[in-house]
Amino acid sequence: MYTSLDRFRIKPGKEDLAREWFRYLNDHLAEANATMPAEGAHIESWFLHEESDGLYGYVYVIYDDNDKAVEVFKESENPLDIKHNEYMNACIDYHDYAKMKPAVALGDYSVFRR
């Protein structure tokens, strides 16, 4: 089981596009949720936060396997995944991207086993 909280800076000048991206995901929850089983994704929670030096995004995930989830997402021909990936590439400053692994993960992870 893979759990992570990722933090990424939104590129300066792309703040409005990032808000559009998150509205797009929120407006298409059913379609987005339908893509998750193929990725082995159980939880994806996306956040935007205005900080003193700009806008940041955060995503909290629980996946069966991160490498598989990323591979399936990147190879997907689903229109929602394609648009989501386009937003990510346009908005995220990948030079300022941090994957934070939990120091402690509480809870019953067995509910995620298939």
Side-chain angles (χ1 to χ4, degrees):
M1 194 66 52
Y2 175 87
T3 303
S4 180
L5 173 64
D6 297 0
R7 177 182 189 259
F8 50 90
R9 181 179 171 93
I10 301 299
K11 293 176 184 175
K14 298 296 183 178
E15 296 86 357
D16 288 342
L17 186 61
R19 289 181 184 94
E20 175 186 312
W21 165 28
F22 280 46
R23 276 192 307 275
Y24 173 80
L25 289 176
N26 199 45
D27 290 346
H28 295 87
L29 288 178
E31 297 98 323
N33 283 328
T35 68
M36 293 179 64
E39 298 169 0
H42 301 286
I43 301 288
E44 281 190 14
S45 297
W46 293 81
F47 305 84
L48 278 177
H49 187 254
E50 189 70 47
E51 300 184 18
S52 62
D53 61 339
L55 186 64
Y56 283 80
Y58 292 79
V59 59
Y60 172 76
V61 302
I62 298 176
Y63 297 148
D64 289 330
D65 177 279
N66 184 60
D67 293 336
K68 177 188 175 195
V70 170
E71 179 182 336
V72 170
F73 171 71
K74 290 195 174 199
E75 292 179 4
S76 175
E77 295 181 12
N78 180 296
L80 182 132
D81 282 342
I82 292 168
K83 188 161 183 78
H84 182 36
N85 196 36
E86 288 171 358
Y87 277 124
M88 289 174 67
N89 289 327
C91 295
I92 295 175
D93 177 357
Y94 285 99
H95 294 98
D96 190 4
Y97 195 103
K99 287 184 172 287
M100 296 174 272
K101 298 292 292 167
V104 177
L106 302 172
D108 180 4
Y109 276 66
S110 70
V111 300
F112 299 118
R113 291 194 189 103
R114 296 174 200 217

